Amino acid sequence: MNRYIFLILFSCLGLFASAETPTPPPSDANVVGHVVDALTGEHIPGITIFVKGTNVGTSTDASGHYFLRHLNPGEVTLVMRGIGYLTQEKKVVVVQNKMLEVNFEAQEDALSIDEVVVSANRQTTLRRLAPTVVTIVDEKVFSKVNAHNLLQGLVFQPGVRVENNCQNCGFNQVRINGLDGRYSQILIDSRPIFSALAGVYGIEQIPTNMVDRVEVIRGGGSALFGSSAIGGVVNIITKEPNGNSFSIHESLAFTGLTAPDNNLSMNASLVTPDNKMGAMLYGQARYRTPWDANGDGFSELGKLNARTFGSHFYLKLSDYSKLSADVHTIQEYRRGGDHFDLPDHVAAVSEHLDHSIYSGNVKYDLYSKNLKHHFQAFASAQSVDRSSYYGGLVDRGDDLGREIGKIGSPVPKDLYGDNYGVTKGRTYMGGVQYGYQMDHFLFMPAEILVGAEYVYDFLDDKMPIRSWQALQDDSGNPILHQGKYISAFPGINQRIHNASQFAQVEWKNEHLSLLFGTRLDEHSIMKTPIFSPRVTLRYNPSKNVNLRASYAKGFRAPQVFDEDLHVSIVGGEAKRVINGENLKPESSHAFNLSADLYHRHGGLNANLLVEGFYNRITDVFVNKEQPSQNDGVMRLLRTNSQGAQVYGCNIEGRLGWRQVQLQAGFTYTRNLYDHAVEYGEYTEMDSRGMPLIDADKKVQNKKLTDRRMMRTPSVYGYFTLSYEPIHALQLSLTSNITGSMLAPHTIEYGAGCAQSDREAQHDADLFTPHFVANGVAPEDRVVRIDELTTTPTFVELGAKVSYHFDLFRYGELELYSGIHNLLDARQKDYDTGAGRDSAYIYGPTMPRTLYFGCRLSF
């Protein structure tokens, strides 16, 4: 079936033969002008001016002026579009060998009603006419909250939470509507090139200076974007060049008011005078020193040393065709634990990752002269090479290892760690799509979209030193198979092939749209193809009232994810997740209802979004702890449970009045499994406080279970408030609120790492006579006191003040200072020492942090 779809799409190229015409001689029909702010009268740089329906366009320069050269004579429509301003159109007649002046007065779009999005239907559309709700994080938000990477900026969206899940390596994830990060699809320029291997740390690795905007769709976007879009879609749109400009930005922060975190970034945009070619260059260097919250010598935020460099460029082959590409590289070293001055294998605990990531995208767009046909071909690739180490002294599992682990001192050679890992990931994808706008189809105008894409994902993960260790029989002898020893620690070698086709038809006008679509995925892990239908309805009784309803079916394949690759330490053990046999894919049925309301009165602009969601997930993945093999690795087996349901609502309000901008969001959610899920174990005690012994003469441990999804607060929200008393001065106040939730806690009994364990003042020798009297072997004397902790509610406050100085005629210098988490709202019961549960971390991702910075641009 795949080959027929591709043949049909490529045959569509014949429709565009008339679009590629020889370059006409210069017409000298030119248009010049300027763009000024309607309120202040000041000239605005970086505003896009283009001829509607073509690739002919430019941007205002640093002085706010533009110049369009050699237009085709006749009547044309000029479109003015810029971030934060309402789109304007003007019809003019251009004449050969004459100059025409057309000026614009830009009116502020405080509510972003005229923003253009692509994530809703894989085609460019106005946000208010999109079939599903799309919310946007852009440079204005990044600036208010001083976000240098996406991790810091994404939280200012309804339904979206970003959290840190490891004290050591800083593994973080984006949760949408309460669902785990693996349920969210991360795209770069609408392409699913952000592999599972890159996804876990990647949100923090992507600098905001390479991002034009981030489009977020909550709920089922799977019919368009495939596997892992059950919770929602985060589409990272990279910057395109617009005019000639340069900026350099330096920011210095002090985590916990003590640990420096330095960011240096730059941007440069270059465009030819005829606007046929352009390039955007960006780079960032970041260095963060580790931060220790409780003085135990082990970091809560690890050391980070990162470099990013990339470019986005375009080439306009004609008025109706365009070739664009993006390439970037990320080099990052991160390490958490203790003794950062020592090699990993002689520290009490060390988790380090050294990433080398290269990514690239290329896209070709071709329109017919009447603009009704649009063909697009695209290809993307990503390469990830990672070296890592996960382990600690308590991997030994004996008293000596634990004691040295507590002290954190250098160790003898026979205690050296060996949990070094080498991981390689390669992701390649390519595809085509064809769109056709019909003036009338059945009962109203319609847009038809068909396409096909193919993704290949390769993952190879090894622990080289451990792979040399042979599997042993009951007598302790190495096992031979066909003359070779069987490794006790085999690596992971995964190859995923996914061929997909998608098709949709959307009947639409200013007041109504009805979309039917489906996607077919032929995934190599699945035995049968998977259909993912999608239905949306939009009704706009007026321009200021947008009502929407949608349904989408999605799935998540049982493939290995990055966080499954020994990425966490629990009690000094590396943790590894293993897929069980006959795993089924997770399936979801997502329903959304929303009302998006706007109001304007004089200088007041208001917007209220109310969105309800319900998601039914079947064959949900759960992890079950496996018996210990005393080799320093905790193994969890992934299996299918019956299902889960996620439901709730998102509310967002925005208000703009003169120089004041207020935006706030609130989320209520309930996330429940059909049946209780295992999160740990605890030992039952008798009336004397002694562990119960079962019939097999082992300590009787019971499973710690709950129906609620962990780390998912029922309520959370945010607000941002900005005020510009004068044009050069901006004051910002921001906040994030995280409600109470359950956090699982794995505790090594008697080690004194957990606060509850220390307070209980356990004496491991107290139980020894009891064990001896009942004939319990030493290896079976495992006392567990795991717990589910109810976390407090956290309220983070941030503030920033910035001032802009005009330098000469075209330059600008911005100076600013601010503070994150002013109230220092954070976790107070971190585990201590080498035997800690590094995954026991919750709440705000950073403590009270003071920062200063400056930006020079021209």
Side-chain angles (χ1 to χ4, degrees):
M1 183 175 180
N2 296 329
R3 60 180 180 273
Y4 297 118
I5 295 292
F6 276 103
L7 286 173
I8 291 171
L9 288 168
F10 278 115
S11 69
C12 294
L13 281 170
L15 295 171
F16 306 101
S18 60
E20 297 299 325
T21 56
T23 302
S27 67
D28 212 23
N30 304 322
V31 177
V32 298
H34 65 231
V35 180
V36 297
D37 189 294
L39 183 63
T40 65
E42 296 185 0
H43 288 81
I44 310 172
I47 299 294
T48 300
I49 310 293
F50 65 94
V51 178
K52 187 175 183 179
T54 73
N55 281 322
V56 177
T58 188
S59 297
T60 56
D61 59 21
S63 68
H65 292 78
Y66 72 93
F67 189 178
L68 290 171
R69 296 172 171 84
H70 304 303
L71 302 182
N72 292 325
E75 185 179 83
V76 299
T77 299
L78 297 182
V79 181
M80 184 218 78
R81 181 176 292 160
I83 296 176
Y85 293 95
L86 292 171
T87 300
Q88 294 183 25
E89 295 185 1
K90 289 187 177 182
K91 287 188 177 181
V92 298
V93 177
V94 296
V95 180
Q96 188 167 354
N97 298 322
K98 287 191 176 182
M99 181 82 72
L100 179 66
E101 182 176 356
V102 181
N103 299 317
F104 292 88
E105 290 189 357
Q107 296 180 338
E108 185 181 14
D109 182 14
L111 305 179
S112 305
I113 192 171
D114 271 353
E115 284 190 293
V116 174
V117 296
V118 297
S119 303
N121 57 7
R122 295 182 76 130
Q123 300 183 94
T124 300
T125 185
L126 290 177
R127 178 177 173 269
R128 64 182 176 84
L129 299 180
T132 56
V133 174
V134 180
T135 54
I136 295 174
V137 188
D138 56 24
E139 289 181 283
K140 292 193 297 183
V141 176
F142 296 148
S143 176
K144 289 178 185 178
V145 302
N146 199 44
H148 298 287
N149 58 72
L150 289 190
L151 177 73
Q152 299 168 324
L154 272 179
V155 292
F156 296 94
Q157 288 286 291
V160 178
R161 283 186 60 244
V162 177
E163 62 181 25
N164 185 355
N165 290 139
C166 182
Q167 288 171 277
N168 295 328
C169 66
F171 148 49
N172 48 70
Q173 60 176 303
V174 178
R175 289 177 175 260
I176 300 180
N177 290 346
L179 283 170
D180 187 277
R182 288 170 288 187
Y183 292 94
S184 300
Q185 181 78 62
I186 299 176
L187 311 172
I188 296 182
D189 290 324
S190 303
R191 311 300 169 217
I193 197 61
F194 217 59
S195 69
L197 179 60
V200 171
Y201 304 99
I203 291 297
E204 190 175 15
Q205 291 172 337
I206 293 183
T208 53
N209 70 315
M210 71 175 274
V211 179
D212 177 69
R213 66 187 187 277
V214 181
E215 299 179 2
V216 179
I217 299 178
R218 297 175 293 272
S222 56
L224 280 179
F225 300 110
S227 178
S228 301
I230 289 176
V233 171
V234 176
N235 192 3
I236 302 163
I237 309 298
T238 58
K239 284 184 176 179
E240 287 198 9
N242 59 351
N244 297 320
S245 63
F246 176 82
S247 68
I248 185 166
H249 184 192
E250 163 64 23
S251 176
L252 176 62
F254 293 92
T255 309
L257 304 183
T258 58
D261 183 353
N262 190 71
N263 282 270
L264 175 65
S265 62
M266 58 76 65
N267 284 78
S269 176
L270 303 170
V271 177
T272 59
D274 60 3
N275 203 45
K276 296 292 186 180
M277 299 177 64
M280 167 69 73
L281 303 176
Y282 51 84
Q284 186 186 72
R286 182 186 184 190
Y287 182 79
R288 182 183 71 191
T289 57
W291 175 70
D292 179 6
N294 48 22
D296 67 340
F298 295 82
S299 64
E300 270 62 54
L301 286 176
K303 179 180 179 179
L304 194 62
N305 194 350
R307 303 287 185 272
T308 302
F309 179 78
S311 175
H312 186 115
F313 55 92
Y314 69 81
L315 173 63
K316 295 179 180 179
L317 303 174
S318 74
D319 290 351
Y320 303 96
S321 62
K322 181 179 179 181
L323 182 68
S324 56
D326 173 83
V327 61
H328 68 267
T329 177
I330 298 171
Q331 308 289 325
E332 185 196 75
Y333 173 87
R334 62 171 64 213
R335 176 176 170 178
D338 74 311
H339 277 80
F340 291 88
D341 56 331
L342 298 177
D344 299 284
H345 57 276
V346 294
V349 163
S350 177
E351 291 195 51
H352 104 239
L353 301 106
D354 201 344
H355 283 101
S356 179
I357 302 173
Y358 292 86
S359 299
N361 300 277
V362 62
K363 181 180 67 171
Y364 174 69
D365 288 280
L366 178 61
Y367 290 87
S368 62
K369 282 188 174 181
N370 61 9
L371 304 180
K372 294 184 180 297
H373 303 273
H374 177 202
F375 174 81
Q376 186 179 96
F378 47 86
S380 303
Q382 183 183 72
S383 168
V384 181
D385 289 306
R386 186 179 78 181
S387 61
S388 59
Y389 180 87
Y390 300 86
L393 298 183
V394 287
D395 286 355
R396 263 182 73 96
D398 58 16
D399 292 337
L400 177 59
R402 279 189 289 270
E403 188 62 28
I404 296 178
K406 292 178 186 177
I407 299 171
S409 61
V411 296
K413 289 185 179 180
D414 61 331
L415 290 183
Y416 282 2
D418 55 7
N419 286 342
Y420 286 97
V422 177
T423 310
K424 292 184 178 181
R426 303 289 185 266
T427 305
Y428 309 100
M429 70 89 61
V432 290
Q433 69 180 46
Y434 164 69
Y436 176 45
Q437 295 186 13
M438 305 178 68
D439 294 331
H440 190 82
F441 179 50
L442 297 181
F443 49 86
M444 65 188 298
E447 291 185 5
I448 294 175
L449 178 72
V450 294
E453 60 187 28
Y454 170 79
V455 178
Y456 171 72
D457 189 90
F458 165 74
L459 176 67
D460 182 81
D461 179 78
K462 296 184 179 70
M463 299 176 73
I465 299 176
R466 284 188 170 244
S467 66
W468 299 336
Q469 302 174 24
L471 189 66
Q472 298 177 349
D473 58 23
D474 294 338
S475 301
N477 298 315
I479 299 175
L480 281 169
H481 177 69
Q482 296 181 351
K484 295 182 179 180
Y485 291 112
I486 300 176
S487 175
F489 295 89
I492 295 173
N493 190 282
Q494 176 181 265
R495 286 175 167 80
I496 302 294
H497 303 266
N498 188 26
S500 310
Q501 300 88 46
F502 51 89
Q504 67 179 30
V505 56
E506 181 183 6
W507 290 272
K508 62 183 295 186
N509 56 31
E510 287 285 330
H511 298 290
L512 181 70
S513 78
L514 178 63
L515 183 149
F516 292 96
T518 188
R519 179 182 173 111
L520 173 67
D521 285 276
E522 299 179 73
H523 201 287
S524 58
I525 293 182
M526 305 289 93
K527 295 180 180 179
T528 58
I530 298 177
F531 280 95
S532 302
R534 178 189 188 212
V535 181
T536 70
L537 173 66
R538 171 185 58 82
Y539 175 52
N540 293 34
S542 71
K543 184 176 180 179
N544 295 324
V545 178
N546 304 329
L547 307 176
R548 295 180 175 93
S550 68
Y551 161 77
K553 180 180 180 294
F555 78 100
R556 188 159 76 95
Q559 63 194 67
V560 173
F561 299 89
D562 182 50
E563 54 266 49
D564 302 334
L565 306 178
H566 50 74
V567 299
S568 180
I569 291 179
V570 179
E573 289 186 311
K575 184 175 69 174
R576 193 159 197 168
V577 181
I578 303 169
N579 280 340
E581 295 183 0
N582 301 318
L583 267 179
K584 300 177 183 177
E586 289 184 327
S587 297
S588 75
H589 299 272
F591 301 85
N592 286 69
L593 287 172
S594 67
D596 196 10
L597 312 175
Y598 297 86
H599 178 71
R600 299 174 184 271
H601 181 72
L604 178 68
N605 297 277
N607 168 228
L608 176 64
L609 170 65
V610 180
E611 177 186 42
F613 58 88
Y614 175 83
N615 200 336
R616 174 65 182 168
I617 306 174
T618 59
D619 297 316
V620 66
F621 298 148
V622 296
N623 296 330
K624 294 184 178 181
E625 185 177 340
Q626 301 301 291
S628 174
Q629 298 182 17
N630 298 316
D631 58 4
V633 177
M634 175 186 287
R635 291 172 175 81
L636 302 173
L637 181 68
R638 178 188 284 129
T639 61
N640 291 114
S641 183
Q642 287 194 359
Q645 55 182 340
V646 177
Y647 59 90
C649 68
N650 294 303
I651 301 174
E652 182 184 43
R654 290 183 290 173
L655 185 68
W657 183 67
R658 296 181 179 176
Q659 289 80 34
V660 178
Q661 299 286 329
L662 173 65
Q663 181 173 332
F666 169 84
T667 296
Y668 168 79
T669 181
R670 289 283 286 167
N671 301 59
L672 297 172
Y673 291 107
D674 293 349
H675 299 284
V677 173
E678 174 187 333
Y679 292 109
E681 294 182 352
Y682 65 95
T683 300
E684 289 193 300
M685 302 292 182
D686 60 21
S687 58
R688 300 171 301 161
M690 293 294 171
L692 292 178
I693 309 300
D694 61 21
D696 296 326
K697 295 184 178 181
K698 295 181 179 180
V699 173
Q700 187 169 311
N701 290 324
K702 294 191 67 174
K703 300 297 184 182
L704 190 64
T705 62
D706 203 286
R707 284 189 61 201
R708 291 168 290 182
M709 292 185 182
M710 296 295 104
R711 310 177 66 87
T712 303
S714 296
V715 294
Y716 54 96
Y718 76 95
F719 76 78
T720 65
L721 174 65
S722 63
Y723 173 53
E724 292 187 24
I726 58 176
H727 178 66
L729 177 65
Q730 184 178 75
L731 309 174
S732 299
L733 182 67
T734 60
S735 178
N736 280 103
I737 300 95
T738 305
S740 179
M741 59 185 173
L742 285 181
H745 191 184
T746 301
I747 302 173
E748 182 187 0
Y749 175 81
C753 296
Q755 180 173 308
S756 58
D757 191 41
R758 294 193 298 271
E759 292 172 350
Q761 295 182 344
H762 294 290
D763 183 355
D765 294 332
L766 180 66
F767 299 146
T768 302
H770 176 65
F771 291 147
V772 173
N774 287 275
V776 181
E779 63 270 16
D780 296 326
R781 301 173 186 177
V782 181
V783 178
R784 298 288 294 269
I785 54 172
D786 298 346
E787 59 187 9
L788 296 179
T789 301
T790 300
T791 69
T793 296
F794 296 101
V795 178
E796 298 173 78
L797 286 177
K800 178 183 176 182
V801 56
S802 64
Y803 195 88
H804 300 258
F805 298 88
D806 291 329
L807 299 179
F808 306 108
R809 186 174 181 181
Y810 300 125
E812 182 182 85
L813 175 65
E814 177 191 3
L815 300 178
Y816 64 84
S817 178
I819 190 167
H820 294 301
N821 201 354
L822 175 65
L823 304 178
D824 202 26
R826 57 181 172 87
Q827 181 179 349
K828 305 301 183 184
D829 63 338
Y830 291 112
D831 279 6
T832 61
R836 67 183 182 176
D837 176 6
S838 65
Y840 184 61
I841 182 171
Y842 56 82
T845 57
M846 68 171 62
R848 183 186 292 121
T849 300
L850 184 67
Y851 60 85
F852 309 89
C854 64
R855 185 198 311 268
L856 174 66
S857 57
F858 54 87

